[in-house]
């Protein structure tokens, strides 16, 4: 009887193993850091006497500078070699975690978190670049999948780890939380120096930094963020709307001009005009920002509104995180069978879940609200696991040939900036409403409403993308049929 042929997967070389270890540890450190801090937010605010605005900057500032650093750091890594910038980003990340943990004032921690975001945003593009440089074909897909799984694992354990640290360390536990990722960052930097050659593959030609475009993007992002962290009447914040309009308008004009000169802008007009890419980015923007913003609000509510300990709050969110990981592993089947329509259905499922959770918060006794939140987090975790990575994959598929690296950078920047705005806006609104006569229940209900509205917007963009894609395919089919009927 002939033997059945079983394809053999080539073993990784020692260099590939070293690169993979460095990349996974780097991703774990930078992704765990932000998630752990949301659990420690109430203790941090009490320990430093931070104002609402300072708390918003502490939670959202990391995502802001993380996103803004991604594009220039990735291009510098292309030009001068990725290992150097990976090590530099990790060292900066580690040093600022020490500064933040030893801060005696909230303003010091705000600055430390902003600089730490730069470190994380410098290191992470090098991770993707190194995996692409040292792996090919199925091995590259597996290495990128391992990196994504590491991020999911960090999200799963962050609430529990943060809760355990705060339970053991007491009021100063938030300082220990800021130091949790320090050994991982230092270990990744040391391993990179030891295992990853600085002069292996020749650096590729860099598309340039586009400093003007990056500056205009920063101004526009700040214009969106600052109104949510300013105190006082609405009229005092109105001028920032003009900043956003002027910054965005100038950014569009400059990027088109920069692109026509033959250089690569931060926001490529060609990509934004590609069918489906802009809509896919909007879907990712709404879903990513909503998830991180509500997560920050939920941790504050569970500890200050429901009276749970940090560990108990972590246990409430853990089932949802696990459900998200399981659903993400099954999401490829959804896309293979239903395509974009399946992703739209998964995102749309968040809307009835949010409505049901809103009714539970408004109508049920307080002792049942926490149980409702556990169920809601599990259902939301399933919908997120089915839709987030699949939407990213479908969006990046729409990028024109030769633009996939730039497209990935644009997608990450949009997600990080949306996280910045959503975290700042939702935490600020929650703390403000919770301090009023209606209390924490009304504040949580408001956050759920915002989440539902963002889910509606994401669903609408995803459905529109599917409709337009079907029309394009129908037109292409008609043109092909007409061409076939033409006489030779």
């Amino acid at each position: 009887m002939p033997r059945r042929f079983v394809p053999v997967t080539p073993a990784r070389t020692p260099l590939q193993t070293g690169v993979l270890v460095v990349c996974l540890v780097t991703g774990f450190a930078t992704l765990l850091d932000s998630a752990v801090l949301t659990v420690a937010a109430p203790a941090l605010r009490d320990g430093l006497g931070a104002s609402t605005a300072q708390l918003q900057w502490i939670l959202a500032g990391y995502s802001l500078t993380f996103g803004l650093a991604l594009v220039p750091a990735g291009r510098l890594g292309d030009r001068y070699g990725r290992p150097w910038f990976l090590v530099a980003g990790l060292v900066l990340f580690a040093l600022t975690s020490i500064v933040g943990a030893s801060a005696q004032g909230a303003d010091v921690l705000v600055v430390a978190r902003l600089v730490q975001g730069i470190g994380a945003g410098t290191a992470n593009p090098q991770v993707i670049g190194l995996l692409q440089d040292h792996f090919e074909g199925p091995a590259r897909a597996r290495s990128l999948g391992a990196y994504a799984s590491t991020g999911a694992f960090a999200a799963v354990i962050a609430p529990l780890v943060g809760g355990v640290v705060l339970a053991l360390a007491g009021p100063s536990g938030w300082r220990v939380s800021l130091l949790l990722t320090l050994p991982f960052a230092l270990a990744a930097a040391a391993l990179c120096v030891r295992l990853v050659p600085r002069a292996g593959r020749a650096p590729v030609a860099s598309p340039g930094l586009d400093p003007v475009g990056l500056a205009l993007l920063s101004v526009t992002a700040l214009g969106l963020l600052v109104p949510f962290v300013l105190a006082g009447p609405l009229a005092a914040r109105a001028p920032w709307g003009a900043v956003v309009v002027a910054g965005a308008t100038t950014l569009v004009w400059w990027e088109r001009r920069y692109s026509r000169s033959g250089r690569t802008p931060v926001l490529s007009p060609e990509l934004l005009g590609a069918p489906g890419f802009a809509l896919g980015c909007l879907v990712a923007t709404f879903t990513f920002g909503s998830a991180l913003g509500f997560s920050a609000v939920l941790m504050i509510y569970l500890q200050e509104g429901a009276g749970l300990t940090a560990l108990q709050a972590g246990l409430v969110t853990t089932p949802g995180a696990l459900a998200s990981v399981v659903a993400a592993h099954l999401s490829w089947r959804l896309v293979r069978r239903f395509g974009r329509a399946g992703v739209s259905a998964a995102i749309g499922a968040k809307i009835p879940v949010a409505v049901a959770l809103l009714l539970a918060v408004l109508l049920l006794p307080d002792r049942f609200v926490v149980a409702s939140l556990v169920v809601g987090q599990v259902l939301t975790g399933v919908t997120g696991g089915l839709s987030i990575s699949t939407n990213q994959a479908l969006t990046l598929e729409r990028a024109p040939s030769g633009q996939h690296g730039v497209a990935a950078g644009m997608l990450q920047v949009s997600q990080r900036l949306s996280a910045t705005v959503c975290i700042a806006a939702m935490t600020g609104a929650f703390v403000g409403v919770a301090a009023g006569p209606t209390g924490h229940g009304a504040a949580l209900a408001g956050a759920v409403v915002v989440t539902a509205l963002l889910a509606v917007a994401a669903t609408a963009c995803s459905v529109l993308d599917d409709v337009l894609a079907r029309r394009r395919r129908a037109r292409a089919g008609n043109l092909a049929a007409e061409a076939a009927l033409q006489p030779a």
Side-chain angles (χ1 to χ4, degrees), residues 303-326:
Q303 295 176 69
E304 297 187 350
L308 302 184
T309 65
L311 179 57
Q312 290 169 332
L315 289 171
V316 168
T317 60
T318 297
L322 290 171
S324 177
V325 173
V326 173

Side-chain angles (χ1 to χ4, degrees), residues 26 30 83-99 115-116 118-120 122-123 182 184-190 192-193:
T26 299
T30 55
W84 292 115
F85 284 93
L86 179 64
V87 172
L90 287 169
V91 170
L92 182 62
F93 178 88
L95 291 176
T96 47
S97 70
I98 298 173
V99 173
V115 180
Q116 192 172 26
I118 295 174
T122 300
L182 175 64
F184 295 102
L186 293 177
C192 185
V193 172

